[in-house]
Amino acid sequence: MRTFSHPQTGTTVSSIVLGFMRILDLDDDRIRRLVDTALDVGVTVFDHADIYGGRPHGCEERFGQAVTLTPSQRERVSIQSKVGIRDGYFDFSEDHIVSTVEGSLSALGVDHLDTLLLHRPDSLVEPDEVAAAFDTLHTSGKVLGFGVSNHTPGQIELLETAVTQPLLFDQVQLSVVHSPLIAAGLTANIGALDQSVDRDNGLLDYARARGITVQAWSPLQSGTSSGVFVGDRENYPALNDALDDIAGRYDTTPAAIALAWITRHPADIQVVLGTTTPDRIVEAAAGSDIRLTRAEWYGLFRAAGHTLP
């Protein structure tokens, strides 16, 4: 497992984050096997959200029912959750943030979250309300650190007009196929190319300059209705040929190489893995530690259908 020091806190974190959005229908033993495997390979971050499971705190509750971390395990693991998505709207009001965190703590069976992320941006956000919620949660010891998800640099800076705690993370969608976060910067100022459209407002460079760690969700998804690209030779034949070839060189799997493409980036991007299969966690941990060459990294980028000028 590849690890690195978070640029703002100095805390050692794993390149793989285990997400629990699909555990609602798993029995206790399967959930515990996921957790035990993650701990064995060195995963240090468990990712939740109040909406996972299709009902408030559904997956958080299943985690809390199935898993009791020992004090030493709890010390090794950062538990993060997300807040702000409601039924048909977004809500970053002070009351909703505070009450949702209290619900998450109760469901998870823990006394604090290591990190709270604001989920999808709320266009009606009042930064002063977010700041008040963060202050209440931080002062009470219920949340130690804060971040965002799916936010642009401008949205982060708006929050920072009032929020006093550092924003440590931004969780966004990224894979070798769905990579506007990276691709737009490689073809900047080329007017006739759709890839040149900056859909993230320079988020990756902004995050690197500010010490914000990007977390990549859906790392094996194409970002379209075609779903997972690994093994999809109908839609991504060239990419799968390239993944197979490089996997053979490193004696690993194509999926591990697809994740290695993300963790190779010098921004120290964390991969959020939403699997319910323990072997996939082992595979991801191994992939995170592979340092692809520049030729391999750019070769996968081009095989995924992106352009180099």
Side-chain angles (χ1 to χ4, degrees):
M1 169 72 71
R2 182 177 181 274
T3 62
F4 61 91
S5 295
H6 190 282
Q8 293 193 61
T9 67
T11 303
T12 299
V13 296
S14 59
S15 288
I16 302 300
V17 172
L18 183 58
F20 290 88
M21 69 178 295
R22 296 184 176 91
I23 67 168
L24 187 68
D25 297 324
L26 301 186
D27 63 34
D28 288 1
D29 285 343
R30 287 191 64 188
I31 296 172
R32 284 194 286 265
R33 282 199 297 273
L34 285 175
V35 169
D36 289 343
T37 302
L39 292 172
D40 286 345
V41 299
V43 171
T44 64
V45 184
F46 289 171
D47 178 73
H48 297 271
D50 66 307
I51 64 163
Y52 291 166
R55 58 181 173 81
H57 308 293
C59 286
E60 292 177 323
E61 188 176 70
R62 282 298 299 121
F63 181 92
Q65 292 167 342
V67 178
T68 301
L69 297 173
T70 67
S72 63
Q73 289 173 331
R74 183 65 183 93
E75 188 175 340
R76 288 162 50 197
V77 174
S78 291
I79 295 179
Q80 73 178 23
S81 193
K82 298 181 284 294
V83 62
I85 298 178
R86 303 189 72 171
D87 187 11
Y89 63 103
F90 303 141
D91 188 352
F92 286 172
S93 64
E94 178 182 359
D95 288 347
H96 180 66
I97 293 173
V98 172
S99 64
T100 299
V101 167
E102 290 172 347
S104 292
L105 294 176
S106 177
L108 290 164
V110 298
D111 61 4
H112 72 275
L113 296 176
D114 295 276
T115 311
L116 176 68
L117 306 183
L118 299 178
H119 222 152
R120 294 282 178 180
D122 176 12
S123 290
L124 302 181
V125 64
E126 298 285 355
D128 287 341
E129 288 209 30
V130 175
F134 282 10
D135 285 344
T136 296
L137 294 168
H138 192 254
T139 300
S140 66
K142 293 179 180 178
V143 178
L144 305 186
F146 300 88
V148 295
S149 181
N150 306 299
H151 279 56
T152 66
Q155 291 164 338
I156 292 171
E157 290 189 346
L158 176 62
L159 291 170
E160 289 177 337
T161 62
V163 171
T164 59
Q165 295 83 9
L167 297 178
L168 305 174
F169 301 94
D170 193 355
Q171 191 176 115
V172 298
Q173 187 174 10
L174 175 66
S175 71
V176 66
V177 173
H178 181 85
S179 56
L181 191 72
I182 292 170
L186 288 170
T187 52
N189 202 35
I190 301 179
L193 190 64
D194 180 71
Q195 180 181 311
S196 301
V197 177
D198 185 354
R199 292 175 170 83
D200 302 283
N201 294 3
L203 174 62
L204 186 58
D205 292 334
Y206 175 88
R208 292 183 71 181
R210 297 287 295 271
I212 297 171
T213 294
V214 170
Q215 296 180 339
W217 57 269
S218 289
L220 299 176
Q221 296 281 333
S222 64
T224 69
S225 58
S226 59
V228 176
F229 56 80
V230 177
D232 181 359
R233 294 191 173 277
E234 179 180 352
N235 294 294
Y236 303 100
L239 176 58
N240 277 279
D241 285 346
L243 288 170
D244 286 350
D245 178 55
I246 297 173
R249 295 179 212 164
Y250 289 95
D251 191 25
T252 189
T253 65
I257 296 300
L259 300 180
W261 186 85
I262 298 173
T263 59
R264 168 63 177 84
H265 198 283
D268 284 332
I269 300 168
Q270 290 182 300
V271 171
V272 183
L273 194 68
T275 188
T276 58
T277 303
D279 287 348
R280 296 295 188 189
I281 302 172
V282 177
E283 178 183 59
S288 75
D289 213 25
I290 295 171
R291 184 172 176 83
L292 299 175
T293 67
R294 276 182 161 81
E296 290 166 340
W297 191 90
Y298 279 106
L300 289 170
F301 179 81
R302 289 185 288 108
H306 305 302
T307 298
L308 288 182

